Amino acid sequence: MVKEIEGHPVSRRNFVKGTFAGAVAGAGVLGGASMFGCAPKSEEAAAPEAAEETIAWSQCNVNCGGNCVFQWHVKDGKVQYMESDNTGDIDLQARACLRGRSMRRWLNSPDRLLYPMKRVGKRGEGKFEQISWDEAVQTIADKLKYTIDTYGNDAIYVNYATGMYSATGNPSSRLLNLLGGHLKRGYDYSTNMISAALPYMYGEECSPYDDVFASSMTEAEANSDLVVMFGNSPAETRMGGANIVWDFARVREAVQGRGGKIVNIDYRMNESASGHPEEWLPIRPGTDAALACALAHEFIANDQVDLDFLHTYCVGYDEESMPESAKGQNKSYKDYIMGTGYDMVEKTPEWAAPITQIPADTIRQLAADLSAAEAPFVVQGWGPQRHTNGEDTCRAICMIPVLLGKIGLPGTNTGQREAEPSVSLVGGLPSGKNPVKARIPCYEWLNAVDHGKEMTATNAGITGVDQLSNDIKFLWNYAGNCITNQHGDINKVHEILSDESKCEFILVWDTVMTDSAKYADILLPDAMRSEQLNMKTNGYTEWYTGVCVGGPAQEAPGECRTSYDVMADIADKFGMKEQFTEGKTQEQWIQEIYEAGAAEDSEMPSWDEIKAQGLYKRALPTAIGMKDFRDDPVANPLATPSGKIEIYSEQLAEIAATWELEEGDAINPIPMFFAGFQGYGSTTDEFPLYCSGFHHKSRTHSSFGFIPELEAVARQQLWINPADAESRGIASGDMCSVKSPAGEIRIEAKVTSRIVPGTVGIPQGAWHKADMFGDKVDKGACVNTLTTYRPSPLGKGNGNAHTMIVQVAKA
Ligand SMILES: Nc1nc2c(c(=O)[nH]1)N[C@H]1C(S)=C(S)[C@@H](COP(=O)(O)OP(=O)(O)OC[C@H]3O[C@@H](n4cnc5c(=O)[nH]c(N)nc54)[C@H](O)[C@@H]3O)O[C@H]1N2
Ligand SMILES: Nc1nc2c(c(=O)[nH]1)N[C@H]1C(S)=C(S)[C@@H](COP(=O)(O)OP(=O)(O)OC[C@H]3O[C@@H](n4cnc5c(=O)[nH]c(N)nc54)[C@H](O)[C@@H]3O)O[C@H]1N2
Ligand code: SF4
Ligand SMILES: [Mo]
């Protein structure tokens, strides 16, 4: 007997047995819930011959945070069509967006990799030859052994890769740790700058993915009267039912319903503001800190700061609250803003207007609205921090609620991204212990290939050791496209990886022939998660926590195998198969991992029950960031040296004094406006336009980028303002050349006043398509052909991902 579980009908069974209609009857009515790809259920046709069908549950395992639910309808061993989540409360349905709904096209794509291959052309040329699994496994084992014997385990590096999230998803570390470990990696490509900087202000436990330091959107919905969003577009980056786009629609309704408003600050009118143009506050990219400083100026000049809060909860606002080491030097935040310290420039709205392109009066109005709001909910996406000055920008935005003392209270937020609680119901395959001490910031891998042994703690943010003792010689790349496409400066990557004496061996393991795959020495085909038993707890939705178990829906094509089995075979070459598998199949591991999770949580169904019902989920409570600290700062201090919010960080001052930085870079102890490399003021006659990026609806990064139907829905286009287009004779639909100091792309123009003049915008993740042995012009319009490889000052991250200078011409 399957027990009654909240949000899930008891009648669900794996086998539909002709009761198809009855089985979904408990699913609820979906009226009006069709926004952003969450299609109403009525659009999903019932199976014509339901009696012969089975349902296999699975999930979308790419990295957009949703992990939305699939119900594959299977007949004769082949997927017929997909239904998404139609179970339980309609507010808790993890319904797939259009990308997830195109997953069948991925599974059945003619572009699938079908067998192991070895490279026969030059790196980057894309010429491969089929080999046997045994040859592939033997070659990898031989190269691993050679690398370990010749250089040591710290010459092996597992590249950052986010293509596939699943409980048994990526056992690479488990395997390599058995062999003595591998060079470690820190940060990620999503949040590198904010992850590096914000802990200096809010404490080292502060994570960009939690509900302790950030409030949930549901809190804004319940209590806020003003939502101010910096570079945050849930309608693009948090699509699908398992994400917050639906909640965001409810936030708007609730906030406006109580007479409040939404302000969406972005260099383009993003999809979240589209249809609500009055909400858009256009800003030049990379200048949010200048806006934040001018707002601060207004709060201070008009006596609107919460001095009690600043003196009780914070360090460094004014002279009185400065740490001893920095007293008497005019180094406080207030000194910076009011022009009595640092650059001695007063950060008035008139100062900020030409930098931000926002009129001074508009800045004054926003300051007045913020200080008048009872519960301002200030929230930043990760767009503003993905800039060369992102480390200052993210802290500068957080200063807004700090100055107003609107933190830890109902309806407020800390200035971070909305909470993304990782309430994992189940864990993953244990990865064991990695004995290698050295760790590099993940974006530094290319430098570590090129000149790893020169990299130190103070010139490259190396931790664990003072200096690397090896260059990277073996690059292991599973389920990622960050060798080229998603990294930065693809032309530079090509140059460094072409020299086979540097990185001697590259393993790429994917499901399709990506641009990164062209650099592989051995290229392995993977079975998709819908082609094996899959289990995944919820993504980073704040809505619900859940777990989905099911599959395979159909057999993997060609010679595709599960990576677990292949890694067990690699372990076998070292006589370590038993240690790798512990005598268990992948299925047995999944059951064990599930049962360990269920043992901790009395509400979770049993293994037999979850196998029968596929999905278990429940709502999460709303969160108010830093509530405990606000309630009692003595009992619940922050994990900063002072236990308080550090507006001035002595640790950052120390780093600034001791690290070796690239010319023009800076690390600042207080959050300042600092233009950054290729930022404001850096355009030239040759490159007179700013250029920035954004995450696009038709792809998850480069994933789904080969599916023509999705490209047709939301095309890869250059956003350009009419003022910039007309002077260049460019009309919508024209093919353009975009050149940066790093490279050149071809892209179709979208002439629109939805972007600020002087800046062009390019959706990130398009597939790089260039003749790397010819003109290198990228006809696929990958933004990373244009980015310069320059790790950010503090976190050594991909700040350049959204900061570029370019010229545009009709091609
Ligand atoms: N300029 C610029 N660059 C960026 C960004 C930006 O905004 N601007 N964004 C950055 C961010 S935030 C991120 S997270 C990274 C993401 O970069 P990546 O982690 O490289 O993400 P994807 O491009 O989605 O690549 C995932 C790969 O996994 C493969 N894959 C999917 N399923 C499976 C599977 O089951 N098995 C295997 N073996 N492979 C599978 C897909 O085919 C795809 O090639 O990109 C970063 N790069
Ligand atoms: N559809 C889709 N969804 C995704 C992904 C995807 O590739 N496609 N990727 C997923 C992943 S791994 C991540 S990390 C997240 C990324 O989530 P984010 O990092 O938040 O996404 P971005 O699109 O880079 O930036 C958000 C918004 O900031 C704007 N922006 C860029 N620079 C600036 C700036 O300097 N100032 C201001 N005010 N605005 C700016 C952009 O135009 C965009 O509208 O999205 C996730 N969701
Ligand atoms: S791409 Fe993201 S939102 Fe779309 S179905 Fe997959 S997990 Fe859900
Ligand atoms: Mo990301």
Side-chain angles (χ1 to χ4, degrees):
M1 174 71 190
V2 179
K3 71 179 171 187
E4 178 78 47
I5 291 149
E6 196 200 337
H8 202 95
V10 283
S11 53
R12 208 62 176 151
R13 288 288 186 282
N14 240 9
F15 190 54
V16 181
K17 278 192 198 141
T19 58
F20 175 71
V24 293
V29 184
L30 304 183
S34 66
M35 62 189 308
F36 310 116
C38 315
K41 188 175 63 62
S42 57
E43 285 174 16
E44 291 167 345
E49 293 169 81
E52 295 163 42
E53 280 185 1
T54 54
I55 287 179
W57 292 82
S58 196
Q59 263 166 308
C60 190
N61 296 79
V62 299
N63 176 25
C64 89
N67 298 119
C68 301
V69 170
F70 302 157
Q71 297 182 67
W72 293 115
H73 285 248
V74 182
K75 202 166 134 185
D76 300 329
K78 236 8 209 172
V79 160
Q80 302 298 309
Y81 66 99
M82 181 221 286
E83 245 181 327
S84 191
D85 185 8
N86 53 13
T87 65
D89 183 339
I90 60 160
D91 280 341
L92 285 176
Q93 291 184 345
R95 276 178 280 153
C97 77
L98 209 53
R99 297 188 299 279
R101 282 168 202 264
S102 73
M103 185 58 85
R104 189 166 60 110
R105 290 185 157 79
W106 188 340
L107 296 178
N108 297 333
S109 170
D111 296 336
R112 285 286 299 270
L113 298 173
L114 299 175
Y115 34 75
M117 292 189 279
K118 70 173 179 204
R119 182 167 58 82
V120 290
K122 293 185 210 140
R123 279 196 181 148
E125 212 176 359
K127 288 193 183 147
F128 292 89
E129 196 174 273
Q130 181 174 357
I131 54 173
S132 67
W133 270 111
D134 195 52
E135 183 182 342
V137 165
Q138 189 64 53
T139 308
I140 294 164
D142 290 347
K143 293 291 176 185
L144 282 170
K145 190 166 181 325
Y146 160 81
T147 308
I148 294 167
D149 291 349
T150 315
Y151 302 103
N153 284 77
D154 56 355
I156 303 171
Y157 182 66
V158 181
N159 209 18
Y160 177 71
T162 71
M164 205 273 310
Y165 283 99
S166 171
T168 50
N170 184 356
S172 311
S173 275
R174 178 178 174 83
L175 171 66
L176 294 173
N177 287 346
L178 282 176
L179 309 181
H182 54 92
L183 180 60
K184 290 176 181 152
R185 175 184 90 211
Y187 299 122
D188 57 42
Y189 281 41
S190 311
T191 65
N192 203 140
M193 282 55 65
I194 197 168
S195 289
L198 219 47
Y200 290 101
M201 186 168 170
Y202 284 160
E204 62 187 30
E205 288 158 5
C206 169
S207 149
Y209 305 94
D210 69 18
D211 56 356
V212 175
F213 295 89
S215 309
S216 44
M217 279 282 180
T218 35
E219 184 55 34
E221 180 188 343
N223 292 308
S224 177
D225 53 350
L226 175 65
V227 174
V228 179
M229 304 168 76
F230 287 83
N232 192 359
S233 182
E236 281 149 302
T237 64
R238 292 293 180 254
M239 297 169 82
N243 269 321
I244 64 152
V245 58
W246 173 234
D247 190 42
F248 178 64
R250 298 191 351 177
V251 168
R252 174 181 284 124
E253 209 167 284
V255 171
Q256 290 178 347
R258 60 177 82 95
K261 65 178 176 183
I262 313 275
V263 180
N264 196 316
I265 303 166
D266 201 310
Y267 74 89
R268 54 183 196 108
M269 191 204 286
N270 61 42
E271 296 286 305
S272 307
S274 162
H276 308 272
E278 74 290 350
E279 294 178 1
W280 182 37
L281 180 54
I283 189 170
R284 191 198 308 280
T287 67
D288 301 73
L291 170 62
C293 290
L295 293 170
H297 183 273
E298 289 306 286
F299 301 152
I300 297 170
N302 297 316
D303 260 344
Q304 288 158 336
V305 296
D306 183 342
L307 262 187
D308 279 350
F309 181 83
L310 289 166
H311 287 160
T312 313
Y313 292 86
C314 309
V315 167
Y317 165 67
D318 52 10
E319 189 57 32
E320 187 185 331
S321 53
M322 283 297 274
E324 281 310 318
S325 69
K327 270 199 163 48
Q329 302 164 48
N330 294 355
K331 282 189 174 170
S332 75
Y333 179 77
K334 190 177 171 190
D335 280 319
Y336 171 69
I337 297 294
M338 301 316 280
T340 49
Y342 299 93
D343 58 4
M344 308 299 279
V345 174
E346 210 177 335
K347 308 298 174 314
T348 60
E350 282 70 20
W351 164 82
I355 301 173
T356 58
Q357 293 178 283
I358 304 176
D361 285 348
T362 309
I363 298 177
R364 286 208 165 80
Q365 185 58 50
L366 180 59
D369 290 346
L370 275 160
S371 60
E374 179 65 29
F377 189 93
V378 179
V379 60
Q380 60 182 306
W382 297 329
Q385 59 91 47
R386 210 175 286 105
H387 282 270
T388 51
N389 62 358
E391 288 138 359
D392 277 341
T393 301
C394 63
R395 288 183 295 144
I397 293 170
C398 291
M399 282 308 297
I400 298 167
V402 167
L403 290 163
L404 296 171
K406 297 288 191 183
I407 279 187
L409 304 173
T412 68
N413 186 30
T414 53
Q416 277 235 61
R417 185 167 206 147
E418 65 278 355
E420 301 187 331
S422 55
V423 184
S424 295
L425 296 177
V426 295
L429 203 60
S431 59
K433 220 176 136 26
N434 182 355
V436 171
K437 289 197 177 70
R439 184 186 301 275
I440 60 169
C442 58
Y443 192 58
E444 287 275 18
W445 72 268
L446 188 66
N447 278 333
V449 166
D450 189 57
H451 53 265
K453 285 196 261 191
E454 293 165 27
M455 291 164 67
T456 68
T458 53
N459 72 18
I462 305 299
T463 53
V465 294
D466 290 335
Q467 182 156 12
L468 293 186
S469 43
N470 263 310
D471 301 343
I472 292 173
K473 292 291 178 186
F474 187 121
L475 184 62
W476 178 291
N477 192 84
Y478 177 85
N481 202 357
C482 284
I483 294 180
T484 56
N485 220 83
Q486 297 307 111
H487 179 64
D489 199 340
I490 292 174
N491 292 336
K492 177 162 187 164
V493 177
H494 175 80
E495 191 188 303
I496 292 174
L497 294 186
S498 294
D499 182 346
E500 293 180 32
S501 72
K502 287 186 172 159
C503 185
E504 295 181 26
F505 188 78
I506 302 176
L507 168 65
V508 175
W509 207 325
D510 209 295
T511 62
V512 285
M513 177 64 88
T514 62
D515 196 61
S516 293
K518 293 181 186 158
Y519 291 81
D521 293 299
I522 293 283
L523 175 54
L524 298 181
D526 208 9
M528 299 283 293
R529 288 293 138 172
S530 291
E531 295 162 346
Q532 53 193 296
L533 180 64
N534 181 35
M535 174 169 76
K536 174 77 181 78
T537 190
N538 66 301
Y540 25 76
T541 168
E542 65 171 48
W543 273 106
Y544 83 103
T545 186
V547 59
C548 183
V549 180
Q554 65 183 23
E555 236 181 74
E559 294 180 14
C560 287
R561 303 173 61 202
T562 68
S563 52
Y564 177 83
D565 286 349
V566 177
M567 287 193 214
D569 285 355
I570 299 172
D572 198 27
K573 300 283 179 194
F574 291 88
M576 291 200 156
K577 184 167 187 160
E578 185 58 27
Q579 287 97 316
F580 180 79
T581 62
E582 295 179 32
K584 286 170 243 177
T585 62
Q586 173 165 267
E587 289 71 20
Q588 286 166 329
W589 270 112
I590 291 177
Q591 177 172 353
E592 188 177 303
I593 294 167
Y594 182 86
E595 285 176 339
E600 300 285 305
D601 188 321
S602 59
E603 288 178 50
M604 275 168 71
S606 71
W607 174 247
D608 287 341
E609 287 164 349
I610 192 75
K611 286 256 289 186
Q613 69 190 50
L615 177 63
Y616 165 72
K617 57 191 178 179
R618 65 165 177 268
L620 283 172
T622 65
I624 302 179
M626 295 211 217
K627 184 174 183 312
D628 289 352
F629 172 64
R630 180 68 193 238
D631 288 349
D632 189 342
V634 177
N636 308 304
L638 298 181
T640 53
S642 62
K644 298 183 178 188
I645 296 173
E646 299 206 342
I647 301 171
Y648 179 96
S649 163
E650 287 177 290
Q651 286 178 311
L652 283 178
E654 167 75 18
I655 290 173
T658 50
W659 280 21
E660 302 153 54
L661 297 180
E662 297 260 9
E663 191 167 341
D665 277 356
I667 292 171
N668 299 306
I670 58 164
M672 293 183 169
F673 170 66
F674 152 71
F677 179 69
Q678 293 185 351
Y680 174 68
S682 67
T683 50
T684 61
D685 289 346
E686 194 181 359
F687 303 109
L689 293 167
Y690 299 101
C691 175
S692 197
F694 59 93
H695 289 227
H696 194 43
K697 283 190 299 188
S698 74
R699 299 178 295 266
T700 304
H701 310 293
S702 70
S703 290
F704 298 105
F706 62 99
I707 294 178
E709 290 83 353
L710 288 172
E711 166 66 15
V713 171
R715 296 210 302 281
Q716 179 70 6
Q717 291 167 319
L718 176 80
W719 290 41
I720 182 167
N721 188 277
D724 300 314
E726 275 160 28
S727 60
R728 291 171 173 78
I730 293 170
S732 270
D734 283 351
M735 193 46 72
C736 295
S737 143
V738 184
K739 272 190 205 167
S740 80
E744 180 177 359
I745 65 168
R746 291 274 184 280
I747 186 169
E748 177 191 323
K750 168 185 173 126
V751 179
T752 172
S753 45
R754 280 176 60 182
I755 184 163
V756 290
T759 295
V760 293
I762 298 175
Q764 70 97 19
W767 282 40
H768 175 252
K769 287 182 194 134
D771 174 2
M772 296 309 282
F773 301 90
D775 64 9
K776 295 193 172 67
V777 174
D778 172 13
K779 284 134 196 130
C782 178
V783 73
N784 282 318
T785 301
L786 302 175
T787 51
T788 304
Y789 184 50
R790 165 116 157 186
S792 64
L794 178 67
K796 307 298 175 193
N798 57 346
N800 255 108
H802 280 354
T803 311
M804 287 151 270
I805 50 171
V806 297
Q807 176 58 297
V808 177
K810 205 166 155 172

